[in-house]
């Protein structure tokens, strides 16, 4: 099973104290980087939430956002959050001292301010337990979206592997043809120049030319890397870094093939190989 590093999931949960909504989203990143946006009531939960995410995620930049809307209960006593109230007054006075025409906060403005009203119904242990349950449920959905995307990436990479194999099979038969053409041209040029030649001299020239255009070693390494990419994809797991390394090796062999080319056909195939490898590299960067 292969997972993409990009994913998204959001789940809401109604509890006695109010409404909880947890959102997880991720983008590509070399390592695992988790950022939290939590209400004040849940700040102490960050270590536990981070530990849970670390056990199931390996790579990606993760954004975890939790929102909590307390349920309005007029039948239970409520009181002002004194610390927040005093802070609002300080900010209000600071703004009005600079902007003389600014209006002061009204009673309605203050009462609507998030967190200004404290109620006895807010039971911290119950809230925290509900939050961790919601995180696990959201994480399950989040992981499922990444796995679905990862399956699409795997299939796309396997298709490009098939195309790479097809291109490499077209290269080997071209080398004997190149040698035969070179021999014909060599004999014609020697004859036109009225230079005496013998079979031994022609064999020497052919041997030198063959050594320059020999790509058997590159094709062998290329095939080995393609086999390893396929094995890695089918094996699954956290394989993004391994695949990225293999893309570098594939690109190196494709560049060497291009540098040895003395034929338009070989050069064209080399370019097509590099285009496919670059497309694969971009897809691999999305894999966890």
């Amino acid at each position: 099973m292969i997972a993409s590093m990009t994913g998204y999931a959001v789940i809401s949960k109604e509890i006695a104290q109010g409404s909880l909504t947890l959102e997880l989203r991720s983008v590509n990143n070399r390592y695992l980087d988790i950022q939290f946006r939590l209400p004040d009531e849940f700040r102490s939960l960050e270590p536990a939430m981070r530990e849970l995410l670390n056990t199931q995620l390996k790579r990606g930049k993760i954004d975890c956002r939790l929102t909590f809307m307390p349920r309005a209960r007029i039948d239970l006593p409520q009181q002002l959050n004194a610390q927040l109230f005093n802070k609002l007054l300080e900010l209000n006075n600071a703004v009005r001292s600079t902007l003389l025409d600014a209006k002061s906060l009204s009673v309605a403005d203050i009462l609507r301010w998030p967190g200004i009203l404290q109620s006895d119904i807010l039971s911290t242990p119950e809230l925290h337990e509900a939050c961790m349950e919601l995180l696990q449920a959201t994480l399950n959905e989040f992981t499922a979206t990444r796995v679905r995307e990862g399956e699409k990436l795997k299939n796309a990479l396997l298709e490009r592997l098939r195309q790479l194999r097809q291109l490499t099979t077209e290269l080997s038969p071209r080398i004997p043809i190149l040698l035969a053409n070179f021999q014909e041209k060599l004999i014609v040029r020697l004859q036109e120049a009225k230079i005496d030649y013998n079979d031994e001299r022609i064999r020497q020239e052919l041997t030198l030319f063959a050594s320059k255009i020999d790509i058997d070693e590159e094709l062998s390494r290329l095939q080995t890397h393609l086999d390893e990419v396929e094995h890695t994809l089918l094996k699954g797991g956290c394989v993004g870094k391994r695949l990225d390394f293999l893309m570098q090796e594939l690109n190196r062999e494709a560049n060497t093939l291009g540098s040895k080319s003395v034929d338009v056909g070989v050069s064209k195939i080399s370019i097509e190989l590099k285009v496919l490898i670059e497309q694969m590299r971009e897809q691999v960067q999305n894999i966890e």
Side-chain angles (χ1 to χ4, degrees), residues 185-195 197:
K185 291 180 181 178
L186 179 62
I187 294 175
V188 171
R189 289 176 181 175
L190 290 174
Q191 289 176 342
E192 290 177 349
K194 297 181 180 180
I195 298 176
Y197 65 91

Side-chain angles (χ1 to χ4, degrees), residues 157 160-161 164-165 168 218-230 233 242-258 270 273-278 280-281 284:
L157 288 168
R160 285 185 166 81
L161 270 182
L164 286 172
R165 292 186 192 280
T168 56
E218 285 75 15
L219 286 176
S220 177
R221 287 198 297 265
L222 192 61
Q223 185 62 48
T224 299
H225 296 327
L226 293 176
D227 291 342
E228 182 60 25
V229 171
E230 183 175 8
L233 287 170
R242 174 66 177 167
L243 289 172
D244 187 60
F245 168 76
L246 290 171
M247 292 305 108
Q248 296 177 37
E249 295 301 306
L250 286 173
N251 192 59
R252 182 179 292 109
E253 300 305 331
N255 284 332
T256 305
L257 286 173
S270 173
L273 286 173
K274 288 191 283 188
V275 169
L276 284 171
I277 293 169
E278 178 60 24
M280 293 177 70
R281 188 188 67 84
V284 162

